Amino acid sequence: MLIEYFPILLFILIGIGFGFVPMIAGKLVGPSKPDPEKLSPYECGFEAFEDTRMKFDVRYYLVAILFILFDLEIAFLFPWAIVLEEIGMFGFVAMMIFLGILVVGFIYEWKKGALDWE
Amino acid sequence: MNFPLPDFFPASAEIFVLVMACVVLLADLFKSERQGWLPYLLTLATLAGALAIQVGTAGADTTLTFSGMFVDDRLSDVLKSCLYITVFAVVVYSRDYLMARGLERGEYYLLVLFATLGMQVMISANHFLTLYLGLELLSLAIYALVALDRESARSTEAAMKYFVLGALASGLLLYGMSMIYGATGTLEISAIARKLSDPATNMDVLRFGLVFLVAGLAFKIGVVPFHMWIPDVYHGAPTAITLLIGSAPKLAGFSMAIRLLVDGLPTLAVEWQQMLMMLAVLSIALGNVVAIAQTNVKRMLAYSTISHMGFMLLGLVSGVIELRASGDIQLSYAFGSAMFYTIAYVLMSAAAFGVLLLLTRAGVEAETLDDLKGLNRRSPWFAAVLMMVMFSMAGIPFFIGFFAKLAVLQAVVAAGYLYTAVFAVMLSLIGAFFYLRVVKLMYFDEPLDTAPLVASSEMRALLSVNALAIAVIGLMPQSLLTLCATALGQAMK
Amino acid sequence: MEALLQPVQALLGAAWVPVWTLVKIFAIILPLMGCVAYLTLAERKIIGWMQVRNGPNRVTFFGIKALGGLAQPIADGLKLLFKEIVLPSASSKTLFVLAPVLALAPSLAAWAVIPFSEGLVLADINAGLLYIMAITSMGVYGVIIAGWASNSKYAFLGSLRSAAQIVAYEIAMGFALVTVLMVSQSLNLSDIVRGQGEGMFANMGLGVLSWNWLPLFPMFIVYFIAGVAETNRSPFDVVEGESEIVAGHMIEYSGMAFALFFLAEYANMILIATLTSIMFLGGWLSPVGFLPDGFHWLAAKSAFCLFFFLWLRATFPRYRYDQIMRLGWKVFIPVTIVWLVFIGGWMMSPLSIWK
C-alpha cells in the first residue's frame, strides 16, 4: 500500500534537487563581484530607509483567518463528497445544514466589510 | 448505507437557540437605523422561547439521543431552565451599561446566545466530546466578550489572560479525557462508568487522567489553586460581561462536575472527593480572607466567587457514593445541596452585579467600595436590594444563601467531615465581615456621588424581582432543594 | 520492452525499483522542462501575433533562417546561467536561497500523480486529488519566503499581496474540486477521467458532451480562472505588477535564482492546464467515439488551455487589487457554493445523471 507512495517521495526529492542544481550551476559559472551598492535592497535607486519588516494592513491577517476557516470547511467537504452517493439523503441534508451555517457566517463577514479592499 | 435519523426532540431547545442565534445575526446585519432594539428583543424572545420549549418538552424520563452523546434528563431540564432565566436577566441588566459605552452591538447578543448554546450543550453532555464542544463554545464566546471593549487596555489584557489560561485549562482537560479514553476505550460518560467495574481497566492511567480532569474542571469553575484568572478577569472585563461570567457559567460548571465525576467516574469517588476536598477548603480559606483586602467591588466579588465555588464543591465531596446502590437519599441530597448552592449563588451574583450596573451611567463606573457609599440616600430600595444580596452571600438567615450554606453543611456533617464543616463556618464568619462592610458603607457613610440613578424601568423591575427571589426562596427553600435532589437522584440512576 | 528490461532488472536486483522509478521521473520532468522553455517562446510568439508583430525571430540553430526564434529559450537560459546570483546584504541568506527551490519543487512534484493516459501514471494512488491540493498549496511558501527573506519593501508587499490572492482563490478552487469529487465519487485522478467516459452522450459516441465541463460549467470556468490567479498570471499579476511594485517578491533575485521562479510559474501554468483537462475536459479521452483515446488528447487539451492563459494575457489589462479580492471572495465563492448545493440536489434527485 505504502509502496505506491514511494515514487512520490522520490519525485519530491528530485523536484527539490531540480531547484538546487541550477542555483549551484549559476553560482559556479556566473561571476561573483559583490559590492555594497549592488547588495543593498532595491528601492528605485534611493537609499533604503526604515525597516522593511514593518507593520502592514490588518486585512491580510483577516484574509488569512478567513482562509483557514474556509479551507477547513473544504477539507470537511472532501470526504463527504466522495461518499455522497452512499450516504444519500441523510448525508446531503446534514451537509446542507452545515453549509447553511457557514453561509450565515459568510454573509456576516461580507456585510461587516471583511471582504472589502477598496 | 443507511443512517437512522437521530431523535431531535430532546435537543429542541438547543436547536431553537442555534437557529435564533443565526436569525439575530442576520437581523442585526439587515436592520435599519431605527431598529436598534431588534437584536435585544430577539435575544430576549429567544431565551423566553427556549425556556418555554424546555419546560414544554420536559419529561420524567432520561432520553439519550445523537448516539448517546446527548442526554435530556430532569437535571438538565432544571439547570437549563435556570440558565435561560439567568441569561435573560443578564441581558436586561446589561443593556443600559453597554449602550452608554457604545458596546451595545449585535455581536454582544450573538456571543451571549452562543455562550448560552455552549452551556446548554455542556449541561446535556453525555459524552466527553459533547462536553468539550460545549465548553469551548462557551469559552470562546466569553473570551471575545471580555474583549468587547476593544479600546480598553484593561479589558483586552484580561481577555488575553483569560484566553491563555483558558486554553491551558482546556488542554489539561483534554489530556485527562484522552487518558481516560486510553484506559476505558470509550468517551461516552455512562459507558465509562460501566467500564470502571471491569477488572481489565487500567486504574493507574485512569487515576492519572482523573487528576488532569479535576485540574481542568477546577480551572473552569475557578477554585484555588486554579483561581488566578478570576480576579483579573472579573476586574478587567466590562461590568456587564463580568455579570455574565459570574453567573450563568457556574450552572454549566456544576453540571460539568456532575457529568464528569459523579456520572462518569463514580467508583473513583474516593480519589476525586479527596482532591475536591482540598480544593474546596483552600478556596473557602483564600476567597474569604483575600476578599477583605479588596477595595474594588468587582475584585471583592471575584474572591467571593472563589469561596462560594469552594462551598459548592463541599456539597460534591459529601456525597457518599457507596450509598448509590442502596438508593439512599443522602447521596442525592448531598449533590442536591451543591446544586442548590449553585443556583442560589447564581441568583445572588446576578443581583449583586446588577446593582453595580445600576449605579453606572455614561462615563461613570461603579467599581470601588467608595462608589457604594451612601447608596441609601440615593435609592433606599436598591440599597435594600444590595443589602439583601450581601446578607444572603454572607449566609445570614433567612435568605437563600443561608439555606444553601446550611444544606451543604448538613451534607458535610452527614458524610462525617465534622471538622471541615466547622472550618467552613468559621471562614464564612470571617467572610461576613466584607459583606457587612458593604452594608455599612451604604447606610452609614456620606455619598460621594449624589447623581440620581439612571436605569430603564425593565431593569429596575427585574432587579427587584431578582432580589425578592433571594428573600422569598429563602423563606421556603425546601421546594427548590427537593427539586434539585430529585433531579440529581434521577440523573444518578 | 519487457524482454529488454529483464537483464537490467536482474543486474540491479533490489536497486531496480528506485532506478526504474528515477528513469520514469526523468521521463516526466525533462519533457516538462522542454515544454516550459518552449512555452515562454510560444507566449512571446502568440502575443506577438495577436499584436501584429513578429515576436522573437532572430536566434536560431546553426544559422538556419527558417528556424528563426526557435533557439530563443535556450539562449535565454544560457544568459541567465552566466549571470551573477546576487545575495543582498540585508537578506536572510538561507531562506533567500531556499525560496526559489520551494517555489519550483511543488510544481514539479505534483506531476507524480497525473495520469497521462490509461494506466500511464507514475503513482496511481487513491488520494491523488488530495495530494494535488496539498502539494500545490505549498507553492505559496516559496513566494512568501522570497518576500520575507529579501528584506526589501517591494518584495515584502509583493509577497503579501500574492499570499492573500493565492489563498483567496484557493478556496474557490477547492469548492470547484469538491463538485468534481461529488460527481466522480473518487479522489483517484484516473478514476475521475474514466468516470467522464461514461454516460448517455458517451454511449452515443459524443464523449465530449459527457465530460464534466458541461454539467459543471460554472465550476470549470471558476477553476480555470482561479488557476490563472493562483499562478499569478495576467490579468491577476499584481504580485509582480511592474508599474507598482516593480517585480514583487522576485525583485532581489537574479540569474538562475530568478530563472527558477520563472520555471515554477510556467510549470504551474502547465500543471493547471493539465489538471483542468483531466478534471473537466476528459483527460486522455477522445471527444468522439470513432477516434482512439490516448495521450495526444490530453496534450491537445492542455495546449488548448495554455493558449487561453496566453490569450488572457494579451487581451485584458491588469486588475486592481481590490477587484481581484472582490472577484475571489464575492463572486467565485458564492457561485461555487451555490453550484455545489445545486449539484448535490441534482445527485439526490431522480434526474441524476451520475448513478
Side-chain angles (χ1 to χ4, degrees):
Chain A
M1 192 52 211
L2 218 52
I3 196 73
E4 289 172 17
Y5 288 84
F6 173 70
I8 292 182
L9 177 69
L10 212 55
F11 210 129
I12 293 174
L13 293 178
I14 296 285
I16 294 171
F18 249 76
F20 277 114
V21 167
M23 294 272 269
I24 295 166
K27 202 78 196 165
L28 289 180
V29 300
S32 180
K33 300 193 201 78
D35 66 69
E37 295 303 316
K38 194 196 277 179
L39 296 188
S40 66
Y42 174 76
E43 236 162 78
C44 296
F46 291 101
E47 291 282 332
F49 61 97
E50 290 181 348
D51 190 21
T52 311
R53 275 100 201 239
M54 53 196 173
K55 289 182 187 171
F56 53 90
D57 199 331
V58 72
R59 280 179 296 194
Y60 288 109
Y61 290 102
L62 211 56
V63 166
I65 288 169
L66 292 181
F67 166 69
I68 289 176
L69 288 178
F70 276 92
D71 216 36
L72 279 178
E73 157 81 21
I74 290 168
F76 189 44
L77 280 169
F78 261 57
W80 168 81
I82 294 170
V83 292
L84 181 59
E85 266 169 19
E86 286 154 64
I87 55 179
M89 208 58 190
F90 175 83
F92 177 68
V93 171
M95 189 50 88
M96 286 309 112
I97 293 172
F98 179 71
L99 269 182
I101 294 173
L102 180 91
V103 166
V104 169
F106 188 63
I107 295 172
Y108 175 78
E109 68 194 41
W110 188 323
K111 288 290 282 184
K112 284 282 163 181
L115 307 178
D116 289 335
W117 285 75
E118 279 86 19
Chain B
M1 253 184 278
N2 259 320
F3 292 91
L5 208 60
D7 182 8
F8 291 111
F9 185 70
S12 38
E14 277 80 2
I15 294 170
F16 176 72
V17 171
L18 173 62
V19 171
M20 285 305 286
C22 293
V23 170
V24 170
L25 189 154
L26 293 176
D28 177 53
L29 288 177
F30 293 98
K31 68 176 195 283
S32 68
E33 283 290 308
R34 285 178 295 120
Q35 291 168 324
W37 41 265
L38 195 61
Y40 173 67
L41 283 190
L42 274 176
T43 306
L44 293 185
T46 306
L47 293 165
L51 179 63
I53 293 173
Q54 198 71 53
V55 174
T57 61
D61 304 335
T62 301
T63 333
L64 289 178
T65 184
F66 297 115
S67 325
M69 293 180 99
F70 188 95
V71 62
D72 180 35
D73 53 7
R74 183 64 70 78
L75 175 66
S76 67
D77 285 335
V78 174
L79 281 176
K80 278 191 236 172
S81 303
C82 293
L83 171 69
Y84 305 134
I85 297 169
T86 313
V87 178
F88 188 95
V90 165
V91 171
V92 172
Y93 293 170
S94 304
R95 185 156 192 251
D96 286 338
Y97 177 90
L98 294 171
M99 288 235 284
R101 279 151 193 79
L103 300 175
E104 201 253 5
R105 293 188 289 252
E107 283 79 7
Y108 168 75
Y109 298 109
L110 207 59
L111 288 170
V112 166
L113 282 181
F114 279 125
T116 311
L117 182 64
M119 290 186 267
Q120 284 173 282
V121 172
M122 273 172 88
I123 290 172
S124 273
N126 192 40
H127 195 274
F128 278 176
L129 289 184
T130 331
L131 187 82
Y132 187 71
L133 188 73
L135 180 63
E136 283 303 286
L137 189 54
L138 167 68
S139 306
L140 289 174
I142 287 184
Y143 302 146
L145 279 173
V146 172
L148 193 67
D149 188 3
R150 285 183 297 192
E151 309 295 316
S152 156
R154 218 175 55 188
S155 309
T156 41
E157 186 195 327
M160 208 57 163
K161 268 185 199 159
Y162 192 15
F163 176 67
V164 171
L165 291 174
L168 181 73
S170 296
L172 291 179
L173 197 67
L174 270 187
Y175 195 53
M177 285 176 177
S178 62
M179 289 266 188
I180 289 172
Y181 179 64
T184 60
T186 175
L187 286 167
E188 193 183 323
I189 287 171
S190 33
I192 289 170
R194 281 195 298 277
K195 272 274 183 183
L196 289 179
S197 49
D198 184 348
T201 308
N202 186 336
M203 280 302 180
D204 291 328
V205 176
L206 209 58
R207 285 194 190 99
F208 205 54
L210 177 68
V211 174
F212 285 99
L213 216 57
V214 170
L217 177 74
F219 192 95
K220 290 295 177 187
I221 59 176
V223 287
V224 180
F226 304 99
H227 66 289
M228 324 65 122
W229 61 275
I230 293 245
D232 288 339
V233 171
Y234 273 43
H235 184 197
T239 311
I241 308 303
T242 313
L243 163 67
L244 176 69
I245 302 172
S247 53
K250 308 296 176 202
L251 294 168
F254 169 77
S255 155
M256 185 166 138
I258 290 286
R259 302 278 185 215
L260 280 180
L261 301 178
V262 180
D263 282 358
L265 303 163
T267 53
L268 286 180
V270 183
E271 271 90 3
W272 57 255
Q273 286 189 332
Q274 270 174 1
M275 295 180 218
L276 290 190
M277 173 73 97
M278 226 126 71
L279 298 176
V281 168
L282 285 175
S283 305
I284 295 172
L286 184 127
N288 279 318
V289 173
V290 179
I292 295 174
Q294 304 304 320
T295 54
N296 183 300
V297 188
K298 279 158 85 181
R299 281 192 99 84
M300 186 191 94
L301 287 173
Y303 284 103
S304 122
T305 301
I306 296 172
S307 75
H308 282 297
M309 284 299 111
F311 245 104
M312 186 273 277
L313 287 187
L314 276 187
L316 292 181
V317 168
S318 50
V320 184
I321 292 285
E322 288 79 47
L323 296 175
R324 183 168 175 156
S326 60
D328 195 302
I329 56 163
Q330 188 276 341
L331 189 60
S332 45
Y333 265 92
F335 294 139
S337 72
M339 182 167 163
F340 180 65
Y341 200 100
T342 313
I343 295 174
Y345 173 71
V346 167
L347 264 180
M348 298 186 292
S349 158
F353 284 108
V355 174
L356 283 190
L357 285 171
L358 188 79
L359 295 177
T360 63
R361 58 181 182 275
V364 178
E365 295 284 337
E367 289 199 336
T368 61
L369 287 172
D370 288 345
D371 293 324
L372 294 175
K373 278 183 181 167
L375 181 61
N376 186 39
R377 306 264 179 84
R378 296 166 69 193
S379 166
W381 168 236
F382 286 107
V385 165
L386 193 55
M387 182 181 74
M388 280 192 262
V389 175
M390 288 299 146
F391 279 175
S392 176
M393 280 193 172
I396 291 170
F398 291 86
F399 295 103
I400 189 172
F402 169 73
F403 290 100
K405 281 200 167 63
L406 185 67
V408 168
L409 289 173
Q410 274 175 341
V412 172
V413 172
Y417 302 115
L418 187 63
Y419 291 111
T420 314
V422 172
F423 174 80
V425 170
M426 289 193 11
L427 279 153
S428 298
L429 287 178
I430 295 174
F433 167 75
F434 64 83
Y435 295 120
L436 296 180
R437 181 173 60 186
V438 170
V439 176
K440 179 239 164 201
L441 290 175
M442 288 192 303
Y443 282 91
F444 301 109
D445 281 21
E446 289 301 313
L448 296 177
D449 174 15
T450 49
L453 300 181
V454 279
S456 64
S457 49
E458 74 252 30
M459 175 175 175
R460 286 167 188 260
L462 197 60
L463 195 51
S464 308
V465 172
N466 191 337
L468 288 177
I470 292 173
V472 172
I473 300 177
L475 294 179
M476 37 180 183
Q478 209 54 44
S479 53
L480 182 57
L481 191 53
T482 316
L483 184 68
C484 294
T486 48
L488 273 165
Q490 190 219 16
M492 278 182 298
K493 256 175 213 147
Chain C
M1 187 74 171
E2 285 292 312
L4 262 169
L5 290 174
Q6 216 72 54
V8 191
Q9 195 167 357
L11 188 70
L12 287 171
W16 165 250
V17 176
V19 169
W20 184 232
T21 314
L22 270 179
V23 170
K24 286 196 271 191
I25 289 174
F26 277 100
I28 295 173
I29 289 191
L30 294 178
L32 180 66
M33 284 299 165
C35 287
V36 167
Y38 277 88
L39 181 59
T40 61
L41 179 68
E43 175 170 33
R44 295 165 73 180
K45 277 285 188 194
I46 289 172
I47 294 176
W49 284 325
M50 286 181 178
Q51 295 168 346
V52 203
R53 53 188 174 82
N54 276 330
N57 56 20
R58 293 300 167 94
V59 195
T60 179
F61 291 108
F62 317 112
I64 305 170
K65 259 226 173 101
L67 298 177
L70 274 186
Q72 185 74 43
I74 293 162
D76 288 344
L78 281 175
K79 185 194 80 176
L80 284 168
L81 181 64
F82 287 105
K83 291 287 179 189
E84 178 176 356
I85 299 178
V86 177
L87 269 178
S89 49
S91 64
S92 319
K93 305 282 185 302
T94 319
L95 289 178
F96 188 83
V97 174
L98 208 59
V101 180
L102 277 180
L104 180 69
S107 57
L108 294 181
W111 287 87
V113 295
I114 300 282
F116 295 99
S117 179
E118 179 66 53
L120 190 62
V121 48
L122 181 64
D124 192 17
I125 56 170
N126 279 329
L129 197 63
L130 210 56
Y131 171 75
I132 294 270
M133 279 285 280
I135 203 93
T136 49
S137 305
M138 297 288 291
V140 70
Y141 283 108
V143 177
I144 292 190
I145 292 177
W148 176 259
S150 300
N151 204 355
S152 157
K153 277 172 208 136
Y154 292 112
F156 185 59
L157 288 174
S159 65
L160 274 181
R161 284 182 177 195
S162 160
Q165 174 184 333
I166 289 179
V167 299
Y169 281 87
E170 194 147 307
I171 295 167
M173 216 169 186
F175 273 121
L177 289 185
V178 167
T179 54
V180 174
L181 290 183
M182 283 163 74
V183 299
S184 47
Q185 300 278 293
S186 171
L187 277 166
N188 185 315
L189 290 169
S190 303
D191 286 345
I192 290 176
V193 173
R194 276 181 219 118
Q196 296 179 65
E198 295 155 13
M200 190 178 70
F201 287 114
N203 296 339
M204 286 160 57
L206 273 173
V208 63
L209 293 179
S210 76
W211 298 342
N212 281 339
W213 70 271
L214 191 60
L216 302 181
F217 190 72
M219 293 291 146
F220 168 52
I221 302 295
V222 165
Y223 183 83
F224 184 72
I225 297 178
V228 177
E230 287 264 296
T231 47
N232 292 326
R233 289 287 302 177
S234 174
F236 303 105
D237 59 346
V238 286
V239 174
E240 44 192 285
E242 44 283 280
S243 50
E244 298 166 25
I245 48 174
V246 203
H249 58 278
M250 303 186 268
I251 193 165
E252 300 290 347
Y253 284 89
S254 60
M256 269 334 251
F258 176 70
L260 284 182
F261 278 113
F262 247 84
L263 282 179
E265 179 176 333
Y266 283 84
N268 267 326
M269 274 167 71
I270 300 178
L271 180 67
I272 294 285
T274 312
L275 284 175
T276 313
S277 315
I278 288 173
M279 259 154 331
F280 295 97
L281 298 177
W284 66 77
L285 298 175
S286 154
V288 282
F290 55 85
L291 290 175
D293 298 336
F295 170 68
H296 50 283
W297 286 115
L298 182 66
K301 289 165 188 173
S302 304
F304 175 73
C305 292
L306 280 172
F307 178 72
F308 265 90
F309 270 93
L310 308 181
W311 194 1
L312 286 176
R313 176 163 176 194
T315 310
F316 290 109
R318 184 177 298 135
Y319 257 26
R320 269 202 331 262
Y321 196 64
D322 62 301
Q323 290 170 325
I324 291 181
M325 294 310 260
R326 196 185 66 87
L327 182 70
W329 287 102
K330 293 189 176 175
V331 179
F332 280 2
I333 291 178
V335 165
T336 47
I337 292 179
V338 166
W339 207 257
L340 190 135
V341 173
F342 174 73
I343 292 288
W346 192 355
M347 287 179 69
M348 289 299 114
S349 76
L351 299 173
S352 170
I353 55 172
W354 294 283
K355 280 278 182 315

